[in-house]
Amino acid sequence: MRKIIVNQKILNGKPIFEGTRIPVEIILDFLTQDYSSEQIIKEYPRLNKEDIISALKFATNRIKEERVYPAPL
């Protein structure tokens, strides 16, 4: 499984798969369009199924870490 990194010098700091310039968001976008893992890997052969799962885990963890504060009335 490839690590997901954030580097301000690569794609303006968007999360990418280490060793690539493939942004996590593009994989998530493919998944929302009902692409299968196999279809995504065909488009991005440097990735594997574990990388796709790590993109989902990354997104899930980001949402879990999000803090919501009520707006003052």
Side-chain angles (χ1 to χ4, degrees), residues 1-28:
M1 182 176 343
R2 197 177 317 270
K3 183 177 174 183
I4 294 174
I5 63 166
V6 174
N7 181 334
Q8 293 299 323
K9 295 179 181 180
I10 303 171
L11 295 178
N12 294 316
K14 290 185 178 242
I16 60 168
F17 295 93
E18 188 173 40
T20 76
R21 294 180 61 84
I22 303 170
V24 171
E25 73 180 85
I26 204 162
I27 302 309
L28 297 173

Side-chain angles (χ1 to χ4, degrees), residues 22-59:
I22 303 170
V24 171
E25 73 180 85
I26 204 162
I27 302 309
L28 297 173
D29 190 44
F30 276 133
L31 292 169
T32 66
Q33 295 177 53
D34 206 26
Y35 277 59
S36 68
S37 296
E38 292 76 18
Q39 289 171 306
I40 294 170
I41 293 166
K42 186 175 180 181
E43 292 290 324
Y44 293 94
R46 293 185 67 189
L47 299 181
N48 58 46
K49 189 168 183 158
E50 289 78 23
D51 295 326
I52 295 166
I53 292 169
S54 71
L56 288 169
K57 287 181 180 179
F58 179 84

